[in-house]
């Protein structure tokens, strides 16, 4: 019982102390966020196959902003697989734990 209470106490303490600190975001998180935004714009999101070379495709601008360049293969409205290149800026908001994008271009 004591161990259970100790674990809960440490979890609560860690959760409270984490709210005052800035969260650190990674290139992989930016890549995944960009893929989610791109996927939402595709005709057939379930057919999407993305590039995963995030070290060369994601540029860290500052602690919360990343520039992502990549490609996606997906079906068009005729069912043919086509490759599209995309670029976007991913912005993380640590206080609200939300993410957004700017300048999303798919061609």
């Amino acid at each position: 019982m004591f161990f259970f209470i100790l674990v809960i106490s440490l979890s609560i303490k860690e959760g409270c102390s984490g709210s005052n600190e800035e969260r650190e975001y990674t290139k992989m998180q930016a890549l995944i966020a960009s893929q989610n935004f791109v996927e939402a714009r595709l005709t057939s999101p379930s057919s999407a196959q993305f590039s995963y070379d995030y070290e060369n495709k994601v540029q860290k601008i500052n602690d919360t902003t990343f520039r992502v360049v990549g490609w996606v293969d997906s079906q068009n409205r005729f069912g043919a697989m086509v490759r599209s290149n995309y670029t976007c800026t991913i912005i993380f908001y640590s206080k609200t734990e939300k993410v957004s994008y700017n300048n999303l271009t798919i061609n």
Side-chain angles (χ1 to χ4, degrees):
M1 182 68 167
F2 174 74
F3 178 73
F4 180 70
I5 294 171
L6 179 64
V7 169
I8 291 176
S9 299
L10 290 176
S11 297
I12 292 171
K13 182 179 178 184
E14 204 169 296
C16 293
S17 66
S19 62
N20 293 335
E21 297 175 12
E22 285 293 316
R23 187 169 171 197
E24 187 172 325
Y25 297 99
T26 66
K27 288 182 174 184
M28 180 59 87
Q29 289 172 308
L31 179 67
I32 292 169
S34 72
Q35 291 172 349
N36 289 334
F37 290 122
V38 169
E39 212 171 60
R41 294 180 137 196
L42 296 175
T43 302
S44 178
S46 63
S47 68
Q49 298 173 355
F50 289 93
S51 58
Y52 282 98
D53 184 16
Y54 70 92
E55 285 299 323
N56 296 320
K57 304 290 185 190
V58 181
Q59 175 189 9
K60 186 173 185 175
I61 296 171
N62 61 40
D63 290 342
T64 60
T65 308
F66 296 81
R67 179 85 174 143
V68 182
V69 177
W71 55 261
V72 59
D73 291 334
S74 66
Q75 290 180 346
N76 63 12
R77 60 185 177 147
F78 303 110
M81 289 296 281
V82 294
R83 177 162 290 179
S84 300
N85 295 309
Y86 70 91
T87 61
C88 71
T89 303
I90 297 296
I91 305 160
F92 293 98
Y93 300 96
S94 55
K95 290 184 180 180
T96 60
E97 295 187 15
K98 300 218 184 250
V99 61
S100 69
Y101 67 92
N102 282 334
N103 307 321
L104 175 58
T105 305
I106 304 172
N107 49 20

